[in-house]
């Protein structure tokens, strides 16, 4: 059973060699989210990417994340993916995680497609036997055929994405984490990918989807978190939160 609790979780990221660079500071603030703080060493600045975020997620939650660029959505997804630990506060995350933030994470361009299936699967939490067991599914879905025996540096970008997507979605997680709804490959493959993703969403106990598309939030989510400058502004039903977010942008 999946269960997630964040209690005043904050994340501060250190930025080095930024003395006297006002423009760089502003770009970092807008890109990462939150606010900049000066460290005792003036060559270091701390970006408070998340600021005391608290919420609970239970089985059945389909949670959308909305907010402008630099609001902290991706940082929050990385905390939920166990990539970033909170620098203060707590994050308790129970259940197997499948994060589709970066599909190619953990893939080695000098290794073959088959080797990368195993490496990516193990990174997603499978053991060696489980990684071996999903190979036929990845073969069938990716439709890469004999290319799976070649180093992936020989692949086109579309082939690379097809392999990464096939592996990432062959795992059945308790918690599914998405940064935008994924479009992969040509029209025929994209349609199959959407069907596969829908099945994955249905099977997951909890899902998080960060998106700038309000239609995707309404389509896939039953709850929405609005973030701004690293803070959680509102947590509620999608229509209510999206309306408040839109009103704030129009103000």
């Amino acid at each position: 059973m999946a269960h997630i609790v964040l209690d005043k979780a904050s994340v501060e990221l250190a930025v080095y060699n930024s003395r006297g660079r006002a423009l760089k500071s502003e770009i970092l603030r807008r890109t990462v989210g939150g606010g900049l703080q000066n460290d005792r060493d003036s060559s270091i600045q701390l970006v408070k990417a998340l600021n005391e975020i608290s919420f609970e997620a239970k089985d059945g939650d389909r949670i959308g994340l909305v907010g402008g660029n630099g609001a902290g959505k991706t940082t929050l997804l990385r905390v939920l993916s166990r990539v970033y630990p909170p620098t203060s506060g707590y994050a308790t995350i129970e259940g197997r995680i499948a994060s589709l933030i970066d599909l190619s994470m953990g893939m080695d361009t000098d290794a073959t497609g088959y080797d990368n299936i195993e490496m990516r699967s193990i990174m997603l939490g499978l053991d060696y036997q489980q990684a071996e067991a999903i190979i036929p599914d990845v073969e069938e879905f990716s439709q890469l055929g004999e290319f799976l025996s070649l180093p992936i540096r020989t692949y086109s970008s579309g082939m690379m994405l097809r392999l990464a997507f096939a592996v990432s979605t062959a795992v059945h997680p308790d918690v599914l984490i998405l940064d935008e709804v994924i479009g992969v490959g040509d029209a025929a493959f994209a349609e199959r990918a959407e069907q596969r993703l829908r099945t994955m969403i249905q099977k997951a106990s909890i899902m998080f989807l960060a998106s700038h598309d309000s239609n995707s939030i309404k389509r896939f989510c039953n709850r929405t978190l609005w973030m701004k400058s690293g803070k959680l502004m509102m947590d509620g039903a999608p229509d209510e939160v999206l309306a408040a977010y839109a009103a704030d942008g129009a103000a």
Side-chain angles (χ1 to χ4, degrees):
M1 180 179 293
H3 186 219
I4 294 172
V5 177
L6 269 63
D7 183 10
K8 295 184 178 180
S10 297
V11 172
E12 291 184 341
L13 304 176
V15 181
Y16 297 90
N17 299 320
S18 55
R19 183 197 302 267
R21 298 183 182 180
L23 177 59
K24 182 176 180 180
S25 296
E26 177 63 13
I27 291 171
L28 286 167
R29 185 189 69 78
R30 291 177 178 272
T31 302
V32 182
L36 288 168
Q37 304 175 43
N38 289 325
D39 192 79
R40 290 179 181 177
D41 180 349
S42 60
S43 68
I44 300 173
Q45 287 186 309
L46 296 177
V47 180
K48 196 153 194 176
L50 291 183
N51 191 352
E52 296 192 347
I53 303 296
S54 297
F55 67 85
E56 182 178 14
K58 300 179 180 179
D59 286 346
D61 279 340
R62 302 288 184 265
I63 300 175
L65 301 181
V66 298
N69 292 328
K73 301 186 301 297
T74 300
T75 302
L76 176 56
L77 293 183
R78 287 174 177 158
V79 170
L80 296 169
S81 303
R82 302 190 180 110
V83 175
Y84 289 168
T87 51
S88 64
Y90 300 93
T92 302
I93 303 166
E94 299 174 1
R96 175 182 286 170
I97 306 290
S99 175
L100 304 191
I101 299 174
D102 183 354
L103 290 176
S104 60
M105 183 182 294
M107 300 186 77
D108 181 353
T109 57
D110 289 324
T112 68
Y114 283 116
D115 290 338
N116 274 286
I117 293 172
E118 293 179 355
M119 288 187 289
R120 175 67 175 163
S121 299
I122 290 170
M123 177 170 282
L124 289 170
L126 302 187
D127 59 31
Y128 181 77
Q129 288 183 331
Q130 291 170 327
E132 287 280 306
I134 70 168
I135 288 177
D137 177 68
V138 175
E139 288 175 327
E140 189 280 328
F141 189 80
S142 68
Q143 298 180 335
L144 291 173
E146 61 188 17
F147 284 99
L148 289 171
S149 298
L150 299 178
I152 64 173
R153 67 172 182 271
T154 64
Y155 291 13
S156 67
S157 58
M159 292 166 66
M160 185 89 75
L161 279 174
R162 284 167 64 172
L163 176 61
F165 181 85
V167 176
S168 298
T169 54
V171 177
H172 298 299
D174 300 309
V175 181
L176 176 62
I177 296 173
L178 301 167
D179 195 353
E180 298 291 351
V181 176
I182 301 167
V184 183
D186 56 30
F189 188 83
E191 183 177 351
R192 295 174 61 231
E194 182 173 347
Q195 292 174 353
R196 187 172 171 98
L197 191 58
R198 281 179 172 276
T199 300
M200 196 176 185
I201 290 171
Q202 290 170 357
K203 290 183 177 180
S205 294
I206 298 172
M207 182 201 73
F208 289 89
L209 168 63
S211 181
H212 293 284
D213 180 9
S214 60
N215 290 327
S216 293
I217 296 293
K218 293 177 182 178
R219 184 179 179 187
F220 292 106
C221 303
N222 55 23
R223 177 181 169 191
T224 301
L225 308 181
W226 165 28
M227 300 190 66
K228 182 177 181 179
S229 299
K231 298 179 180 179
L232 178 58
M233 305 298 292
M234 188 174 178
D235 176 356
D239 286 341
E240 295 175 1
V241 175
L242 287 168
Y245 172 49
D248 181 72

